[in-house]
Amino acid sequence: MFLVISVFIGIYLPVQYKFGYEKTKFVFAVIIMASPFILPQLLRMNQLDLVFFFDYSLILIYAGIILISFMVLAISAFMSMKYYDKADLA
């Protein structure tokens, strides 16, 4: 769940800083409202085979997921700061 939220926030915040709240609120509202219906359908269509994950230690898998989540958040923060620095706040 931390990875999913990190990816969503990691995409949402830089896009919002770049294009503004008014331009992005409708698109992300639709994504948030549609995700409970679309994601289960996508999972059912793909029939993902995640058996190869069971070859590794559970601690190693969780550590990898947490590391990826922090990397996504760090990249998002860097991009957000870059866009925010260019904004005229006057």
Side-chain angles (χ1 to χ4, degrees):
M1 198 65 205
F2 183 57
L3 178 63
V4 172
I5 291 171
S6 297
V7 169
F8 179 74
I9 295 296
I11 294 170
Y12 176 71
L13 288 178
V15 169
Q16 185 178 7
Y17 283 135
K18 180 149 178 108
F19 298 113
Y21 176 73
E22 290 298 321
K23 292 180 183 176
T24 58
K25 73 178 178 183
F26 179 72
V27 173
F28 282 105
V30 169
I31 291 171
I32 290 170
M33 297 298 280
S35 64
F37 303 105
I38 294 173
L39 291 177
Q41 294 299 324
L42 290 175
L43 289 175
R44 215 173 288 143
M45 287 173 38
N46 274 339
Q47 295 298 323
L48 295 175
D49 188 21
L50 300 175
V51 176
F52 64 91
F53 275 123
F54 297 118
D55 294 339
Y56 299 104
S57 168
L58 198 57
I59 295 172
L60 185 64
I61 294 171
Y62 287 152
I65 290 173
I66 290 172
L67 181 66
I68 291 170
S69 299
F70 280 122
M71 287 174 43
V72 166
L73 287 176
I75 292 169
S76 171
F78 176 73
M79 290 175 61
S80 296
M81 288 188 306
K82 189 172 95 172
Y83 295 138
Y84 196 67
D85 285 341
K86 293 179 184 178
D88 183 24
L89 300 176

